[in-house]
Amino acid sequence: IPYIASGDIDTVNTMLETAKEEWAKVKVDLNFQQVSDPSNAIVDISGIDSVRMAYVTRRCVCEDGAKIGGYAPSNFLNIYYNTDQGVSDGMTGPHEVGHFLGLQHRKFGIMQISSTAPPRMVTAADRNRLLKVYGLKEQWKSAQQAIRQGRNR
């Protein structure tokens, strides 16, 4: 998955490495490649502060934005992480990558909103939801190509 990144590159690398490791536990192989040309990227990963996080998530106050570790809009093109809060629970990366892949919030698994009990982790149910979104491996490749083509328009 080619990406461009801004902000703290170490944080981005940690998020993506954790996402790769966690999703691999349920046999979802993700390969991220940082590119310098935005036209070659499928996703843009950016660090933003709590005020901006409140704005992009359409929250009314920055205190709400401060509670959000990351955000991935449904357009499949951006992942934001909160530079004020950081990625403290370690599962922000896998969670936001789940959104990037097309998953919505759930009560359990990596896509749960709360980082309290039960602990967030990638589960077989998360993988099964991906299969429902993309189906077979060839359909996943087609989806990646469609995303890339949409990005280059």
Side-chain angles (χ1 to χ4, degrees):
I1 300 171
Y3 70 95
I4 57 172
S6 63
D8 182 355
I9 300 303
D10 289 338
T11 298
V12 171
N13 290 338
T14 299
M15 285 176 55
L16 295 179
E17 188 59 35
T18 303
K20 182 177 180 176
E21 291 170 4
E22 291 300 313
W23 282 101
K25 291 177 182 177
V26 294
K27 299 184 178 16
V28 175
D29 295 320
L30 301 171
N31 293 302
F32 299 98
Q33 176 187 9
Q34 187 172 5
V35 297
S36 56
D37 183 351
S39 67
N40 293 327
I42 293 178
V43 65
D44 179 352
I45 304 170
S46 306
I48 59 177
D49 64 21
S50 295
V51 174
R52 180 84 174 128
M53 185 66 75
Y55 175 78
V56 299
T57 59
R58 295 175 178 81
R59 302 291 179 121
C60 57
V61 293
C62 64
E63 290 82 18
D64 286 340
K67 298 173 188 172
I68 302 169
Y71 177 64
S74 59
N75 66 7
F76 291 68
L77 300 175
N78 299 93
I79 294 176
Y80 300 105
Y81 65 92
N82 192 327
T83 57
D84 293 337
Q85 177 179 322
V87 289
S88 58
D89 75 347
M91 290 295 127
T92 297
H95 177 92
E96 299 309 330
V97 167
H99 285 308
F100 166 73
L101 295 172
L103 298 180
Q104 301 299 316
H105 286 134
R106 299 286 183 184
K107 291 183 181 180
F108 300 100
I110 196 62
M111 299 314 298
Q112 70 180 347
I113 296 172
S114 173
S115 59
T116 57
R120 289 198 295 185
M121 66 179 74
V122 178
T123 65
D126 295 315
R127 180 181 187 275
N128 289 339
R129 282 192 288 280
L130 279 182
L131 290 174
K132 286 181 182 177
V133 171
Y134 294 105
L136 302 175
K137 189 174 184 178
E138 291 305 313
Q139 290 172 315
W140 165 243
K141 288 180 184 176
S142 296
Q144 281 184 311
Q145 289 172 346
I147 292 168
R148 185 175 288 125
Q149 289 170 354
R151 176 79 173 190
N152 291 331
R153 290 184 187 173

